[in-house]
């Protein structure tokens, strides 16, 4: 079975704090893809990053960084020096590689509130 | 310039009515999707089309009927709307169904009164 767990329902931080959003996934497949999406208060879903299961290198993009660890089935997302504009719901998602009928499975999302 | 667009952005209607949501993508992708996001923000796939062919059809009431006139368009028609249909509906597209990154439209907030 495929599953994505985002145990943190809501996180509140003060601007400039660092924050890590957790994502744990379950899959029996050896080839799969992991994603993070951002949903700001305006409602759209914005793609942030995609990793494949064979690439465990951490990635940094500006204030954002991602830590992929297959040993713990985790794909955590850290925002450094958070800003008010980072306030959003963040979704982690899993896609198993295979036939066309494979589905993108979303976690339940983490609501991040960054206070000024 | 918008990659995936949906119309309308907001839809308010009465129970029992029939309504449609339109989606267009200009990314040249082969695969398009419809997702439903409920009031708790949970996102679940409803349908997927690849080159105008239906490839994913989740357990969705048959009041919901997707139609893909061409690769760039995927519309969603809903008959006999019910209160429980109130949600945000997202269209998405990807280059490949099995491993492509999905890019989402802005969403359509449907409210059934």
């Amino acid at each position: 079975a495929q599953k994505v767990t985002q145990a943190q329902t809501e996180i509140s931080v003060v601007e400039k704090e660092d924050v890590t959003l957790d994502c744990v996934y379950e899959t029996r497949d050896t080839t799969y893809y992991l994603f993070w999406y951002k949903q700001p208060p305006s409602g759209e879903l914005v793609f942030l990053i995609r990793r494949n299961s064979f690439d465990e290198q951490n990635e940094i993009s500006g204030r954002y960084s991602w830590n992929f660890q297959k040993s713990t089935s985790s794909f955590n997302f850290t925002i450094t020096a958070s800003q008010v504009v980072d306030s959003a719901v963040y979704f982690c998602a899993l896609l198993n590689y295979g036939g066309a009928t494979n589905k993108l499975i979303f976690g339940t999302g983490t609501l991040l509130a960054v206070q000024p | 310039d918008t990659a995936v667009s949906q119309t309308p952005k907001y839809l308010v209607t009465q129970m029992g009515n029939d309504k449609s949501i339109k989606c267009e993508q200009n990314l040249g992708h082969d695969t398009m999707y419809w997702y439903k996001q409920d009031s708790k923000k949970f996102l679940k796939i409803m349908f997927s089309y690849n080159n105008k062919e239906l490839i994913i059809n989740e357990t969705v009431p048959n009041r919901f009927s997707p139609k893909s006139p061409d690769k760039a368009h995927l519309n969603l028609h809903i008959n006999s709307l019910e209160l429980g249909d109130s949600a945000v509906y997202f269209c998405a597209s990807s280059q490949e169904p099995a491993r492509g990154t999905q890019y989402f439209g802005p969403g359509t907030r449907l409210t059934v009164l």
Side-chain angles (χ1 to χ4, degrees):
Chain A
Q2 305 147 47
K3 189 178 176 184
V4 176
T5 301
Q6 295 181 256
Q8 303 151 309
T9 309
E10 291 186 36
I11 301 176
S12 182
V13 299
V14 176
E15 226 177 358
K16 296 184 184 168
E17 281 185 31
D18 298 347
V19 58
T20 295
L21 309 182
D22 297 333
C23 173
V24 173
Y25 62 92
E26 291 176 33
T27 178
R28 291 197 192 107
D29 288 0
T30 55
T31 304
Y32 51 90
Y33 303 88
L34 295 164
F35 302 83
W36 276 95
Y37 286 86
K38 174 183 180 180
Q39 187 172 36
S42 49
E44 70 272 25
L45 275 164
V46 179
F47 163 71
L48 295 177
I49 190 171
R50 160 190 154 133
R51 303 299 281 174
N52 73 55
S53 53
F54 296 111
D55 184 2
E56 282 193 76
Q57 275 198 346
N58 290 333
E59 179 147 345
I60 298 175
S61 175
R63 295 183 298 105
Y64 294 174
S65 62
W66 291 269
N67 183 340
F68 176 28
Q69 292 200 347
K70 284 176 80 168
S71 59
T72 55
S73 298
S74 65
F75 185 42
N76 296 338
F77 173 27
T78 298
I79 302 175
T80 303
S82 59
Q83 299 176 2
V84 172
V85 292
D86 296 327
S87 296
V89 179
Y90 290 87
F91 293 96
C92 181
L94 164 71
L95 177 66
N96 283 334
Y97 176 71
T101 55
N102 282 359
K103 305 175 192 101
L104 185 61
I105 306 298
F106 283 88
T108 49
T110 297
L111 172 61
L112 174 64
V114 182
Q115 312 294 337
Chain B
D1 287 309
T2 306
V4 183
S5 58
Q6 294 178 230
T7 53
K9 188 161 173 59
Y10 299 97
L11 189 51
V12 181
T13 188
Q14 300 286 332
M15 262 196 321
N17 283 351
D18 303 339
K19 290 292 178 186
S20 291
I21 306 172
K22 295 186 176 182
C23 178
E24 176 180 1
Q25 54 96 3
N26 62 7
L27 297 167
H29 288 166
D30 289 339
T31 310
M32 295 185 72
Y33 311 81
W34 278 111
Y35 285 83
K36 180 179 180 180
Q37 185 175 45
D38 64 22
S39 58
K40 296 187 175 172
K41 298 279 192 181
F42 186 64
L43 277 155
K44 193 167 189 301
I45 191 166
M46 301 171 69
F47 302 103
S48 170
Y49 271 75
N50 187 49
N51 278 321
K52 301 195 298 173
E53 183 183 340
L54 180 66
I55 54 172
I56 292 176
N57 185 350
E58 284 295 274
T59 310
V60 176
N62 57 14
R63 298 182 295 103
F64 289 78
S65 51
K67 284 194 173 48
S68 182
D70 55 59
K71 273 185 4 175
H73 296 84
L74 179 62
N75 303 324
L76 183 65
H77 188 77
I78 316 170
N79 288 328
S80 304
L81 278 155
E82 300 177 357
L83 293 176
D85 298 332
S86 295
V88 180
Y89 293 85
F90 284 97
C91 176
S93 73
S94 68
Q95 184 55 50
E96 302 168 77
R99 54 184 171 179
T101 297
Q102 294 183 23
Y103 295 91
F104 286 78
T108 295
R109 181 174 293 278
L110 171 65
T111 303
V112 183
L113 303 174

